[in-house]
Amino acid sequence: MSLRQLLLRLPRYLGVSGSPRRLWWSPSLDTISSVGSWRGQSSRSPAHWNQVVSEAEKIVGYPTSFMSLRCLLSDELSNIALQVRKLVGTQHPLLTTARGLVHDSRHNLQLRGLVVLLISKAAGPSSMNTSCQNYDMVSGIYSCQRSLAEITELIHTALLVHRGIVNLNELQSSDGPLKDMQFGNKIAILSGDFLLANACNGLALLQNTKVVELLASALMDLVQGVYHENSTSAKENHITEDIGISAWKKQTFLSHGALLAKSCQAAMELAKHDADVQDMAFQYGKHMAMSHKINSDLQPFIKEKTSDSMAFNLNSAPVVLHQEFLGRDLWIKQIGEAQEKGRLDYAKLRETIKAGKGVTSAIDLCRYHGNKALEALQSFPPSEARSALENIVFAVTRFS
Amino acid sequence: MASCRWPWRRCCSWRPAARSPRPGSPGRAGPPGPPSAADAGAQMSYFNLVKSLTSAFPNRYSMSRFHHTTSAACCCSKTRSGEKYTDPFKLGWRDLNGLYEDIRKELLISTAELKEMSEYYFDGKGKAFRPIIVVLMARACNIHHNNSRDVQASQRSIALIAEMIHTASLVHDDVIDDASSRRGKHTVNKIWGEKKAVLAGDLILSAASIALARIGNTAVISILTQVIEDLVRGEFLQLGSKENENERFAHYLEKTFKKTASLIANSCKAVSVLGCPDPVVHEIAYQYGKNVGIAFQLIDDVLDFTSCSDQMGKPTSADLKLGLATGPVLFACQQFPEMNAMIMRRFRLPGDVDRARQYVLQSDGVQQTTYLAQRYCHEAVREISKLRPSPERDALIQLSEIVLTRDK
């Protein structure tokens, strides 16, 4: 089965109960304030999320051109696949990334592309400008917009792969032979570059310099965002970076929001929508991505597993907020108290954080962004696609 | 073959030992010295070289006596009468003042360390070979088209973009090759680590793409994104290898085009598109860039055998150590078939690198590769000569010869 086929069928395998969409669409202002009170299945169950995704896919006409077919069938990709196989048995992160891309049924798999397609459909053709009339449209989406969705995923995946590069001078004997890591790095760089080159070519084919500029600047933002992540995730450093939540938001915009926001805007530009529409699309993308990230950060603190000593990211939203409330000195003291013989007891630290205000304010922040995203959507006419976009927001802001 | 007197040999008589392909030759005669002294020395001799080319000026096209006479249809025999002959680098630099500052402006980001890493190679110490060709080509095309003596801002932008794309690929290549030094200093990956180095490369590429988009010309965007794809494909070609001897050379030339010549060819084409609507001119620019680019790389591969590391700024026999069989090796293999086994195992066994190097220096691999480079240069000259005479056109002609005679 090809990679693409696998990606498309995965959500369906997980079961779609097909409850009527009408329940999800609630009119006007109720929606805006009711992000936290929407009834329905718990968003923590995978079935729910996948339901949202699969319904969305139906609306955009089962995207058949995700992960550009041309790209998938190329010699280079089979070359890459062969090389990645050689990494089986090593500890290079690329293997994890590759596995994640193929097997991961979690919602962050193709989210960006799907959102771009949905917003393209939700906006529809531009009423003002009729110059797009000779573009072909399938399921209410122009082929250039579909292309853009692919390009967005290509850029995201490229950086995902580049994130997995290993610093050779930090290797320990437990990481395995040096040459495996060197080889893994080599393949990771080439694969990432290959995906970026495909993205660039795709952008060139769109024949729209403004879109190229938008996506190129999104790439620049993403690189900076990934850079920040790298800098703050040093293994030995148990201490949260001394940043407040506003700096955190800026960095998170770079690493998670920019690509989606600018892609959504670019989709509007392709259909020749005016600046206001473009801005609304940007706002939706930005806020939705932020709430999605905060949701992801909250998972270790929301899940009910009691004896969970799994590590969590100390630069995630709840922890950064916790530190901000407490002040840095007290936070460092708490970390010290949670340390035993130099090793951090994550379970204990988790309880400490849960006892504070970090988690609840992170939930509030998540809902704040969710509401901003919904506000932005109001300027789009009601439609299936718009509902699907709203459902996505509801899904990432549910915490019960 | 042995009877051929390569033109560069004549001009290089002031440096006796350096170019000799005799095995065991010590390489550059004279004191190694600190890098700056060596640079100054190289530059001095470089200008001497230029002067000797000046005197050889009317005979330049007699390089063709090795092959065939240049067709009479081109106006290559005329130059601007009375124009003072200048060094192509000097000529090109008139338009490139502030090149590195301008590139650094494109890399204006808030993250201090990432900015520092990205700016690392834009310190003014690179050869800036590609930007020079680009601006000279821009002027040559503009003059050819309508005698315009201006360079458009968009054309100058292409020079920056070309240098940025080139540098981004170098940063990644250094991580892939685990290189420790380049241009006489430590590589980005050695100083900051591989993770950050890869991101720095991505950043430079994204900045180049933004600058490209801002030119606002979709044809130019298409031309240069082709380069990005070619660079990656070139690296892939280098990863794989051909078992068949006959395919090896074609594979080598294809890789050489993709990794080196494509950028130069397409940058030349891009500036010609911006300066002139005639597709014939675009093709001339492309062909010039392609041929010079291939020649450039062939000589680079030769220098890996004949030069020593101080001059190059990076270690030599680097290609062999990476398992790469370049021009001199492939030619040498024809004389010494026992090299085949080493080529196939990519010089992995201890002693392979040294043995291969010895074979190459004993064979005529270096000469053959140089001769091939000359032919590409000749082709480049033939193409560019079709443009209207101008100082810049002549500078481009001269540049193609400098490509053959450079020593780093």
Side-chain angles (χ1 to χ4, degrees):
Chain A
M1 177 185 299
S2 80
L3 178 62
R4 180 183 61 84
Q5 287 167 304
L6 195 63
L7 287 173
L8 287 175
R9 287 181 195 169
L10 230 32
R12 276 189 269 166
Y13 286 147
L14 294 167
V16 175
S17 61
S19 67
R21 258 175 285 122
R22 265 173 229 102
L23 277 178
W24 299 347
W25 161 243
S26 40
S28 66
L29 295 166
D30 290 350
T31 320
I32 297 172
S33 52
S34 66
V35 166
S37 60
W38 176 69
R39 285 183 298 282
Q41 285 174 285
S42 162
S43 66
R44 294 290 54 78
S45 69
H48 168 270
W49 176 262
N50 286 304
Q51 196 170 1
V52 172
V53 166
S54 68
E55 290 297 338
E57 282 184 329
K58 270 189 222 156
I59 292 168
V60 298
Y62 287 119
T64 53
S65 55
F66 262 151
M67 301 293 277
S68 163
L69 211 51
R70 226 177 339 121
C71 166
L72 278 181
L73 295 178
S74 70
D75 286 337
E76 280 83 0
L77 203 75
S78 15
N79 201 343
I80 293 175
L82 271 173
Q83 308 293 350
V84 172
R85 272 233 299 265
K86 289 185 201 167
L87 286 173
V88 172
T90 70
Q91 310 223 27
H92 198 278
L94 180 61
L95 203 52
T96 318
T97 309
R99 276 200 200 107
L101 287 171
V102 178
H103 295 303
D104 198 348
S105 63
R106 290 177 59 219
H107 44 63
N108 54 7
L109 183 54
Q110 293 176 74
L111 190 61
R112 286 144 299 275
L114 193 54
V115 168
V116 170
L117 291 176
L118 284 170
I119 205 148
S120 301
K121 184 159 183 174
S126 165
S127 49
M128 299 293 152
N129 205 316
T130 52
S131 65
C132 302
Q133 273 178 348
N134 50 356
Y135 289 2
D136 50 312
M137 201 185 237
V138 175
S139 289
I141 301 169
Y142 293 116
S143 58
C144 52
Q145 290 169 324
R146 287 187 188 275
S147 208
L148 179 69
E150 274 176 46
I151 291 167
T152 310
E153 284 299 330
L154 281 172
I155 293 177
H156 169 77
T157 310
L159 266 288
L160 204 59
V161 169
H162 275 182
R163 266 176 176 108
I165 304 282
V166 167
N167 275 336
L168 298 178
N169 60 0
E170 286 168 13
L171 291 176
Q172 296 170 345
S173 50
S174 53
D175 292 314
L178 175 67
K179 64 173 178 58
D180 285 346
M181 288 298 165
Q182 277 178 318
F183 182 73
N185 275 357
K186 192 167 166 169
I187 301 303
I189 297 175
L190 285 179
S191 318
D193 286 351
F194 172 71
L195 293 169
L196 283 177
N198 270 280
C200 289
N201 266 326
L203 283 173
L205 286 169
L206 294 174
Q207 299 280 294
N208 184 318
T209 64
K210 185 161 172 230
V211 166
V212 177
E213 194 178 342
L214 270 169
L215 273 281
S217 87
L219 175 62
M220 196 179 226
D221 292 340
L222 183 54
V223 172
Q224 290 180 76
V226 172
Y227 175 86
H228 283 304
E229 272 176 14
N230 273 343
S231 304
T232 58
S233 67
K235 277 185 262 187
E236 330 78 16
N237 185 7
H238 293 308
I239 306 201
T240 316
E241 210 184 87
D242 189 10
I243 56 168
I245 192 67
S246 63
W248 183 89
K249 281 166 90 165
K250 286 200 185 91
Q251 285 177 8
T252 304
F253 170 71
L254 290 176
S255 61
H256 286 76
L259 181 59
L260 186 55
K262 291 181 178 179
S263 262
C264 288
Q265 184 184 343
M268 300 298 102
E269 163 66 27
L270 283 173
K272 304 291 179 209
H273 283 290
D274 63 32
D276 290 333
V277 176
Q278 290 191 24
D279 186 50
M280 287 298 111
F282 179 94
Q283 296 299 327
Y284 175 80
K286 169 180 166 184
H287 290 292
M288 195 241 108
M290 292 297 283
S291 56
H292 182 270
K293 170 68 162 80
I294 298 170
N295 178 304
S296 172
D297 283 352
L298 276 163
Q299 293 310 302
F301 301 91
I302 304 286
K303 284 198 183 116
E304 279 105 34
K305 295 184 215 169
T306 45
S307 60
D308 204 350
S309 57
M310 214 174 64
F312 50 83
N313 184 352
L314 287 174
N315 287 296
S316 58
V319 185
V320 170
L321 282 164
H322 176 83
Q323 184 194 220
E324 202 169 55
F325 282 121
L326 238 47
R328 186 141 176 93
D329 293 332
L330 201 50
W331 166 238
I332 291 185
K333 183 157 170 266
Q334 283 181 339
I335 290 183
E337 281 161 12
Q339 271 182 319
E340 276 171 36
K341 301 171 201 166
R343 289 195 58 204
L344 199 53
D345 181 353
Y346 281 98
K348 185 170 176 197
L349 196 60
R350 178 181 291 111
E351 291 313 308
T352 313
I353 293 171
K354 276 164 100 163
K357 292 192 263 179
V359 176
T360 45
S361 46
I363 292 177
D364 288 341
L365 187 61
C366 182
R367 288 182 176 152
Y368 165 78
H369 283 293
N371 281 328
K372 298 293 275 181
L374 290 173
E375 260 177 50
L377 275 183
Q378 292 310 301
S379 55
F380 293 88
S383 66
E384 275 185 335
R386 193 182 96 169
S387 313
L389 288 168
E390 285 166 348
N391 293 334
I392 290 176
V393 173
F394 294 144
V396 300
T397 52
R398 283 280 302 159
F399 294 105
S400 62
Chain B
M1 210 78 257
S3 61
C4 280
R5 305 287 288 157
W6 318 291
W8 60 256
R9 252 274 176 108
R10 275 199 304 266
C11 302
C12 289
S13 54
W14 39 265
R15 192 180 301 133
R19 306 303 232 117
S20 165
R22 286 192 307 274
S25 122
R28 187 175 189 189
S36 53
D39 277 354
Q43 276 204 306
M44 269 301 286
S45 44
Y46 168 80
F47 289 157
N48 286 338
L49 170 65
V50 163
K51 282 196 206 130
S52 55
L53 278 176
T54 316
S55 59
F57 199 75
N59 291 329
R60 186 184 309 123
Y61 301 102
S62 64
M63 183 163 63
S64 64
R65 77 177 187 231
F66 298 133
H67 331 289
H68 54 271
T69 18
T70 327
S71 86
C74 69
C75 45
C76 59
S77 50
K78 282 202 284 268
T79 57
R80 284 213 172 191
S81 52
E83 274 299 325
K84 193 164 189 294
Y85 187 84
T86 41
D87 161 25
F89 280 83
K90 264 203 199 140
L91 191 60
W93 267 106
R94 290 192 313 200
D95 286 313
L96 292 176
N97 268 319
L99 170 76
Y100 292 109
E101 287 82 12
D102 290 336
I103 291 179
R104 286 196 290 267
K105 279 184 206 150
E106 301 290 337
L107 296 168
L108 216 56
I109 52 169
S110 52
T111 322
E113 193 188 53
L114 188 56
K115 178 163 174 290
E116 191 191 343
M117 289 169 68
S118 308
E119 289 179 352
Y120 186 69
Y121 289 125
F122 298 118
D123 54 4
K125 300 214 182 84
K127 298 189 277 283
F129 187 67
R130 291 157 186 80
I132 297 273
I133 294 188
V134 165
V135 295
L136 289 174
M137 180 61 77
R139 282 194 181 268
C141 290
N142 294 352
I143 289 172
H144 177 88
H145 174 53
N146 57 2
N147 257 320
S148 159
R149 295 245 51 181
D150 293 325
V151 170
Q152 297 167 31
S154 58
Q155 290 172 317
R156 189 174 176 281
S157 242
I158 300 285
L160 268 78
I161 292 165
E163 190 65 3
M164 288 166 83
I165 294 177
H166 172 63
T167 306
S169 74
L170 288 185
V171 171
H172 279 189
D173 282 354
D174 283 343
V175 184
I176 290 173
D177 298 338
D178 197 26
S180 1
S181 65
R182 173 178 290 282
R183 293 186 190 163
K185 53 186 192 180
H186 293 299
T187 50
V188 173
N189 43 300
K190 285 300 169 194
I191 302 177
W192 286 283
E194 286 76 18
K195 285 175 91 109
K196 289 181 178 173
V198 172
L199 292 176
D202 289 343
L203 192 86
I204 299 172
L205 182 68
S206 64
S209 307
I210 294 174
L212 185 57
R214 287 197 185 132
I215 292 178
N217 184 313
T218 54
V220 164
I221 294 179
S222 298
I223 292 170
L224 283 170
T225 49
Q226 181 62 47
V227 173
I228 298 171
E229 182 182 342
D230 284 347
L231 283 169
V232 179
R233 282 182 193 262
E235 269 303 312
F236 271 105
L237 280 173
Q238 206 161 271
L239 246 194
S241 51
K242 295 287 172 194
E243 296 308 321
N244 184 333
E245 241 185 270
N246 295 326
E247 286 180 343
R248 269 188 218 140
F249 213 87
H251 184 262
Y252 167 66
L253 286 177
E254 194 190 342
K255 181 220 80 171
T256 299
F257 170 73
K258 294 208 145 73
K259 283 200 71 175
T260 310
S262 173
L263 176 58
I264 302 176
N266 283 300
S267 316
C268 285
K269 185 173 174 182
V271 287
S272 75
V273 163
L274 289 168
C276 167
D278 184 0
V280 171
V281 174
H282 307 162
E283 186 60 16
I284 290 172
Y286 180 86
Q287 289 299 331
Y288 172 84
K290 170 184 156 192
N291 284 290
V292 161
I294 294 179
F296 185 88
Q297 186 59 52
L298 290 173
I299 295 296
D300 210 59
D301 295 341
V302 162
L303 288 173
D304 196 44
F305 285 93
T306 60
S307 169
C308 76
S309 34
D310 283 346
Q311 263 176 297
M312 292 292 277
K314 51 184 175 175
T316 49
S317 282
D319 292 329
L320 284 174
K321 288 172 188 158
L322 289 171
L324 303 174
T326 56
V329 171
L330 294 175
F331 278 121
C333 188
Q334 289 176 334
Q335 269 180 276
F336 298 107
E338 49 270 46
M339 291 180 78
N340 267 308
M342 285 197 285
I343 292 177
M344 284 204 248
R345 59 179 185 249
R346 299 175 78 104
F347 313 105
R348 241 174 240 139
L349 293 182
D352 273 357
V353 169
D354 288 322
R355 273 178 64 210
R357 196 185 148 84
Q358 288 307 312
Y359 276 126
V360 167
L361 297 175
Q362 278 170 35
S363 70
D364 63 355
V366 162
Q367 291 90 306
Q368 293 238 40
T369 312
T370 311
Y371 177 60
L372 186 61
Q374 283 169 16
R375 293 187 58 179
Y376 278 106
C377 280
H378 178 72
E379 183 61 19
V381 166
R382 198 181 68 84
E383 285 290 335
I384 199 72
S385 305
K386 295 175 189 167
L387 293 184
R388 197 186 289 195
S390 65
E392 286 79 16
R393 186 202 74 170
D394 298 333
L396 286 170
I397 290 171
Q398 201 198 337
L399 253 180
S400 71
E401 283 153 12
I402 288 172
V403 159
L404 290 174
T405 55
R406 68 192 180 102
D407 59 354
K408 66 176 175 104

